[in-house]
């Protein structure tokens, strides 16, 4: 992913401005309470025919739930290791937190990035986000084409992302596995595409490009616009 040379003050301001957009999945971390699986704003079958109800149910109730469960276990292990002064245990727990915490963060964003067409999914963005996309990429279609190509090309498992930097400048990036975009690159995550096989294989088999192209029909640009507004608020 592209890294940005921004000053420490800029970075501090960016993390402060984007805290609200990411607070739901992170709130438990601050309080040391249990992380929980977020509810969806639509039924498992409402994203059909782009994503089948079977995939959605497995993806949300099984895969995402596993990340949540393992994140809670890892947090407990981290606390125990810290209390014992066990550096090896702390390192091992942090690796598990990165993977499962990233999975929880990424999926919590992903579900809200999508919406059934009956609830606005696929409707093009408007306002400041639309203007920013046009300014950066030339058009929405040009951005979609570029991010589609980058996401399809991810080797193994990972994510494709539309994000923005501390100044609100848009950028595209990919992350491997469950590496979270903000912690990995400094980019605020706005719209993500999950290309782990569990997200599409039952329906699209090994034809990842068809899945990535189709998912734009579910893009919830209202949610993406809200994230962009939160990231650029002064």
């Amino acid at each position: 992913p592209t890294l940005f040379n921004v000053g420490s003050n800029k970075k501090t301001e960016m993390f402060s401005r984007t805290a609200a957009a990411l607070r739901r999945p992170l709130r438990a971390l601050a309080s040391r309470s249990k992380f929980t699986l977020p509810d969806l704003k639509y039924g498992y079958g409402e994203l059909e025919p782009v994503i089948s109800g079977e995939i959605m149910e497995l993806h949300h109730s099984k895969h995402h739930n596993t990340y949540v469960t393992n994140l809670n276990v890892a947090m407990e292990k981290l606390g125990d290791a810290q209390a014992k002064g066990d550096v090896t245990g702390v390192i091992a727990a942090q690796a598990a937190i990165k993977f499962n915490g990233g999975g929880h963060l990424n999926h919590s964003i992903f579900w809200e990035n999508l919406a059934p067409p009956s609830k606005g999914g696929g409707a093009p963005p408007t306002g400041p986000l639309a203007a920013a996309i046009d300014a950066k990429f030339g058009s929405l279609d040009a951005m979609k084409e570029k991010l589609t190509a980058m996401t399809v090309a991810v080797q193994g498992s990972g994510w494709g992302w539309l994000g923005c930097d501390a100044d609100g400048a848009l950028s595209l990036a990919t992350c491997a596995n469950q590496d979270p975009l903000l912690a990995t690159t400094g980019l605020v995550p706005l719209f993500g595409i999950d290309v782990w096989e569990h997200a599409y294989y039952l329906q699209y088999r090994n034809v990842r490009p068809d899945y990535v192209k189709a998912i734009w029909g579910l893009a919830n640009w209202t949610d993406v616009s809200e994230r962009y507004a939160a990231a650029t608020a002064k």
Side-chain angles (χ1 to χ4, degrees), residues 25-74:
L26 289 174
R27 187 178 291 123
L29 184 58
S31 64
R32 300 301 296 270
S33 61
K34 294 290 186 180
F35 292 91
T36 59
L37 182 69
D39 293 331
L40 300 183
K41 297 180 179 179
Y42 42 80
Y44 288 137
E46 286 191 76
L47 301 187
E48 293 184 347
V50 176
I51 304 177
S52 71
E54 180 184 14
I55 288 177
M56 283 299 301
E57 183 172 6
L58 289 171
H59 198 174
H60 177 255
S61 69
K62 302 299 183 183
H63 290 283
H64 188 175
N65 195 48
T66 297
Y67 294 126
V68 172
T69 299
N70 290 340
L71 176 57
N72 286 324
V73 170

Side-chain angles (χ1 to χ4, degrees), residues 214-226:
I215 207 166
W216 292 108
L218 300 174
N220 182 358
W221 291 107
T222 298
D223 175 71
V224 181
S225 293
E226 290 172 356

